[in-house]
Amino acid sequence: MNAKAVRPSPRPESSTRSRCGQPQQSRPPHAATTAGRKCPGESGTSWTDCLGLLLVVAVTAANVGDRDAAAGLLTRLRRMHRDITLVWADGGYTGGLVGWCRDKLALTLEIVKRTDDMAVFVVLPRRWVAERTFAWLMNSRRLARDYETLPATSEAMIRWSMVTRMGRRLARSRADGRR
């Protein structure tokens, strides 16, 4: 028997978690299916700082595109962090969002694109920061699978995971300094 695992491809500033392999009795009202994969689930869009620390996060239905979710999230990012002027994003955020950020939010949205002639794996500038953040989040058992039924609960679990990680990091650095 050949079993094939469906693994969504992570992109910077967004993470898609789906329930493809799990039986599902009923779908919550916010759940939807993506166009490419017929899997119910949620899509999370997050923005991090240069160190990979979470600034803002939003969890939406899987059929809401990254560009659509980014407008509200960038507005919240600007309101919460007035000192940020430059934002890096992947190719999924191209189009009118760049001009909208410049005109409405006074943010510079710089798109990090990959070249079309890539034959081997190449680390893209700034992309690894978001990928590392996703790896940190996936270390939390609660986030490794999609157990939550409400988007607000999913957002809270993502925030809680980052709070726990930062608490451990701060405690470790203080303990190392006392020795």
Side-chain angles (χ1 to χ4, degrees), residues 12-161:
E13 285 78 33
S14 71
S15 170
T16 304
R17 294 170 286 129
S18 64
R19 302 178 188 146
C20 295
Q22 299 176 0
Q24 190 172 358
Q25 285 76 23
S26 65
R27 288 181 33 201
H30 70 276
T33 58
T34 59
R37 298 181 308 265
K38 300 294 187 213
C39 308
E42 300 170 331
S43 176
T45 304
S46 62
W47 297 92
T48 63
D49 65 0
C50 293
L51 298 175
L53 307 177
L54 192 67
L55 296 175
V56 290
V57 63
V59 176
T60 59
N63 64 346
V64 176
D66 288 340
R67 232 179 281 157
D68 300 331
L73 202 57
L74 285 168
T75 304
R76 191 172 3 154
L77 173 74
R78 188 63 172 155
R79 191 173 56 241
M80 293 172 67
H81 304 281
R82 299 293 301 171
D83 55 337
I84 293 177
T85 57
L86 174 66
V87 177
W88 287 298
D90 73 343
Y93 296 94
T94 57
L97 189 62
V98 176
W100 181 82
C101 280
R102 184 181 56 246
D103 298 338
K104 300 288 184 188
L105 302 176
L107 282 174
T108 304
L109 184 64
E110 187 176 311
I111 306 297
V112 179
K113 293 185 178 179
R114 60 180 162 189
T115 59
D116 293 332
D117 60 341
M118 286 189 338
V120 296
F121 175 76
V122 178
V123 177
L124 296 176
R126 307 313 311 166
R127 182 178 180 136
W128 64 271
V129 175
E131 297 297 335
R132 181 183 61 189
T133 303
F134 297 140
W136 288 344
L137 290 173
M138 287 302 115
N139 283 334
S140 299
R141 290 182 62 189
R142 184 89 180 236
L143 297 177
R145 297 279 184 261
D146 192 13
Y147 295 116
E148 317 316 326
T149 56
L150 298 174
T153 310
S154 295
E155 289 178 20
M157 287 297 120
I158 291 170
R159 286 190 192 102
W160 182 253
S161 176

Side-chain angles (χ1 to χ4, degrees), residues 146-179:
D146 192 13
Y147 295 116
E148 317 316 326
T149 56
L150 298 174
T153 310
S154 295
E155 289 178 20
M157 287 297 120
I158 291 170
R159 286 190 192 102
W160 182 253
S161 176
M162 284 304 287
V163 166
T164 303
R165 176 156 188 83
M166 290 311 303
R168 285 187 193 142
R169 182 182 281 181
L170 290 171
R172 184 178 55 211
S173 65
R174 286 189 178 173
D176 292 342
R178 287 188 210 147
R179 290 182 190 175

